């Protein structure tokens, strides 16, 4: 029997070397702390490391999908285009890791399986899958909102003799799809990007759709030197405005009420927002789409018309047009040729609500309408959002309470930043912050890193060892969250935003929907009141 390994000791541990973890490392180092980042992948980038499927691209413009903490970084990095592909995002995070010499404090290929709080020493002990132990008073979970892939238990999946792959576990060396019979299950942001990218290359493509989405056309554009100069000159304003808009984008909302406008003005506004070729219609259009069923229906109908106009066969068009939810109540994907792919002879759409998948077979997929033979099946089936990455780790707080068990009954956080019962554990991208759904991720994640850093800085400055929200504070935040959520159409819609994509998951809106400024204000208030409502020791 080998001797038990002894734990390496640090001032803080960060799990994950994606957008959040890299910045958190940089920020805690500036407090003079000895920090270790533990990362499951062999490289940095998180989401932008793992999601290397064909066509992976950000739906946020590149000038707001980046760090703001270093003017030098803003000066020395040029984005090639408005919406960048995965390779470029990954290159950016590698550049950041090199520029700030971050790698020396990161353990790669190390997946954390357990995190245990020790009350006596006020420390957390992390254990990796290969038995490495790490110990520190503070732990920051920088796991990302969408990093636990959903692998639906399709009957007979192990019998399939072709290649089966989830979009977020795409092999780095790629898959040769040329001439093959390929099936894609899922038509969210990911499925859409895959379909539009591979349709022309594969022999035959079958798209299995459960719920149609309202995808908006992406107008991408390469940047030249003049664009770079102009974008850079705007950075001081951009950095400010992303923290002032409702969802952390740089577009101020239209501001006018839908029904205060004439029919011509409404249409002209919708056309203008549509023509922007971005998520503007969703994030900076008529905010009543989230609350008012009449406005929701009017805007949805506008988008339905745009989708129908793209598809030759009216029967296929009707399948691709969403009718069971309003525009913007689920994640709106951007598309670049997606709808046109259904005019191709080698692409079929299978509505699996009408003809459900019965099982996988050795040769392909059997639906209630018959067997479809396939060489490759791509699962673009999404993620256990917000909670899945956290519950994949056996987290034990005070008195050994298990987060996994507690969250089976009731998912709770305070501001998405801490959880009652788990001292000195900080979460990012967790439920009840705007991060997972209603925020341009970098805006909210950077804000959370700053809050956590300020909090740890405060504790160190004031000779405190421990912080945790009280049960009352947590309850008050949840009540506020629920009150706002329940006023919206979003909370009434089945999607990963409400936990409906995961069997047995609590149905509650995951993301805080009071807007980025209100969220930031609530977080700031906690710090201004020196953590009133939090247990400090
Ligand atoms: P999404 O948006 O959760 O999409 C997953 C898709 O897979 C969606 O169409 C699902 O249908 C479908 N799905 C999931 N489970 C099944 C089963 N069991 N059977 C059939 N179809 C299924 O994930 P994405 O990866 O596209 O995007 C995630 C986020 O990443 C995205 O919002 C961006 O922020 C980036 P459903 O809609 O649930 O009926």
């Amino acid at each position: 029997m080998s001797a038990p390994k002894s734990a390496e000791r640090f001032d803080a541990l960060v799990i994950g070397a994606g957008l959040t973890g890299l910045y958190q490392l940089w920020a805690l180092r500036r407090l003079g702390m000895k920090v270790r980042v533990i990362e499951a992948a062999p490289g940095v980038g998180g989401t932008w490391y793992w999601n290397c499927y064909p066509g992976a691209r950000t739906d946020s413009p590149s000038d707001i999908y980046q760090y703001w903490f270093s003017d030098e970084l803003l000066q020395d990095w040029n984005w090639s285009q408005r919406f960048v592909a995965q390779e470029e995002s990954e290159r950016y995070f590698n550049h950041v890791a090199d520029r700030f010499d971050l790698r020396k404090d990161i353990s790669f290929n190390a997946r954390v399986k357990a995190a245990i709080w020790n009350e006596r020493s006020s420390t957390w002990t992390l254990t990796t899958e290969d038995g490495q132990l790490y110990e520190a008073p503070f732990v920051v979970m920088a796991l990302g909102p969408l990093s636990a892939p959903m692998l639906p238990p399709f009957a007979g999946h192990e019998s399939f003799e072709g290649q089966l792959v989830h979009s977020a576990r795409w092999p780095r060396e790629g898959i040769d799809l040329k001439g093959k019979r390929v099936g894609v299950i899922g038509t969210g942001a990911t499925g859409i990007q895959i379909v539009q990218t591979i349709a022309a290359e594969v022999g035959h493509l079958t798209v299995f759709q459960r719920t149609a989405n309202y995808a908006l056309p992406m107008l991408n554009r390469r940047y030249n030197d003049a664009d770079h100069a102009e974008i850079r000159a705007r950075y001081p304003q951009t950095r400010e405005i992303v923290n002032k808009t409702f969802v952390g984008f740089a577009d101020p909302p239209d501001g006018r009420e839908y029904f205060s406008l004439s029919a011509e003005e409404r249409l002209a506004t919708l056309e203008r927002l549509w023509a922007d070729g971005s998520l503007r219609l969703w994030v900076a259009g008529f905010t009543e789409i989230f609350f008012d069923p009449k406005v929701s229906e009017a805007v949805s109908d506008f988008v339905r018309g745009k989708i129908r106009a793209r598809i030759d066969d009216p029967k296929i068009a009707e399948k691709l047009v969403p009718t069971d939810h309003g525009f913007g109540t689920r994640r709106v994907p951007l598309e670049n040729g997606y709808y046109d792919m259904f005019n191709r002879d080698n692409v079929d759409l299978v509505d699996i609500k009408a003809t459900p998948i019965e099982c996988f077979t050795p040769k392909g997929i059997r639906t209630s309408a018959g067997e479809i033979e396939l060489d490759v099946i791509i699962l673009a089936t999404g993620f256990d959002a917000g909670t899945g990455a956290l519950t994949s780790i056996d987290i034990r707080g005070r008195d050994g309470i298990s987060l996994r068990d507690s969250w089976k009954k009731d998912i709770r956080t305070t501001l998405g930043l801490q959880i009652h019962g788990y001292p000195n554990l900080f979460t990012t991208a967790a439920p009840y912050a705007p991060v997972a759904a209603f925020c341009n991720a970098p805006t909210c994640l950077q804000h959370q890193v700053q809050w956590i850093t300020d909090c740890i800085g405060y504790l160190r400055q004031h000779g405190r060892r421990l912080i945790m929200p009280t049960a009352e504070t947590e309850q008050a935040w949840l009540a506020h969250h629920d009150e706002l959520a329940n006023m919206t159409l979003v909370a009434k819609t089945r999607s990963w935003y409400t936990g409906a994509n995961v069997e047995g998951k609590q149905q509650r809106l995951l993301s805080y929907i009071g807007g980025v400024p209100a969220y930031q204000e609530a977080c700031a208030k906690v710090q201004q009141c020196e953590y009133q409502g939090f247990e400090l020791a």
Side-chain angles (χ1 to χ4, degrees), residues 60-66 68 79 82 223 231 234-235 238 250:
S60 293
S62 48
D63 65 337
I64 60 160
Y65 205 95
Q66 63 176 341
W68 298 111
W79 294 105
R82 189 182 187 200
Y223 288 151
I231 290 166
R234 264 194 279 119
Y235 274 155
T238 311

Side-chain angles (χ1 to χ4, degrees), residues 36-151:
R36 166 80 20 185
V37 177
I38 307 168
E39 167 57 58
V44 299
T47 280
W48 302 105
Y49 174 88
W50 290 106
N51 285 273
C52 58
Y53 60 80
R57 194 174 285 279
T58 44
D59 282 349
S60 293
S62 48
D63 65 337
I64 60 160
Y65 205 95
Q66 63 176 341
Y67 292 121
W68 298 111
F69 67 84
S70 158
D71 285 332
E72 293 76 25
L73 177 61
L74 287 168
Q75 292 308 316
D76 72 13
W77 183 266
N78 284 327
W79 294 105
S80 72
Q81 54 203 288
R82 189 182 187 200
F83 299 103
V84 300
Q86 172 267 336
E87 299 84 5
E88 188 164 341
S89 297
E90 192 186 353
R91 209 169 344 111
Y92 174 70
F93 291 111
N94 275 284
H95 171 72
V96 171
D98 292 334
R99 199 185 200 294
F100 299 101
D101 196 14
L102 300 178
R103 283 178 216 280
K104 65 177 183 212
D105 291 327
I106 306 175
S107 299
F108 291 103
N109 298 305
R111 187 174 284 279
V112 174
K113 67 169 189 184
I116 314 286
W117 171 250
N118 182 328
E119 192 76 39
R120 247 184 329 146
S121 59
S122 287
T123 53
W124 284 94
T125 303
L126 305 187
T127 313
T128 62
E129 277 177 356
D130 63 0
Q132 213 62 42
L133 298 176
Y134 300 86
E135 202 174 272
F138 301 105
V139 170
V140 181
M141 296 288 184
L143 305 170
L146 296 153
S147 51
M150 281 282 297
L151 301 166

Side-chain angles (χ1 to χ4, degrees), residues 12 36 133 157 162 183 193-194 216 218 223 261 263 275 301 306 334 344 349 358 363 434 450 465 485 489 514 535 537:
R36 166 80 20 185
L133 298 176
H157 76 269
Q193 291 185 335
I194 293 175
L216 298 176
M218 171 188 280
Y223 288 151
L261 304 180
D301 215 44
K306 294 287 188 190
L334 289 184
R344 295 178 61 91
L349 179 66
E358 287 178 348
K363 288 200 161 61
Q450 285 151 12
R465 285 178 305 113
L489 301 171
E535 184 187 324

Side-chain angles (χ1 to χ4, degrees), residues 466-485:
L466 187 151
I467 186 163
M468 180 182 82
T470 64
E472 294 71 34
T473 298
E474 195 145 283
Q475 185 50 41
W477 180 249
L478 266 172
H480 169 63
H481 167 86
D482 284 347
E483 191 187 347
L484 292 181

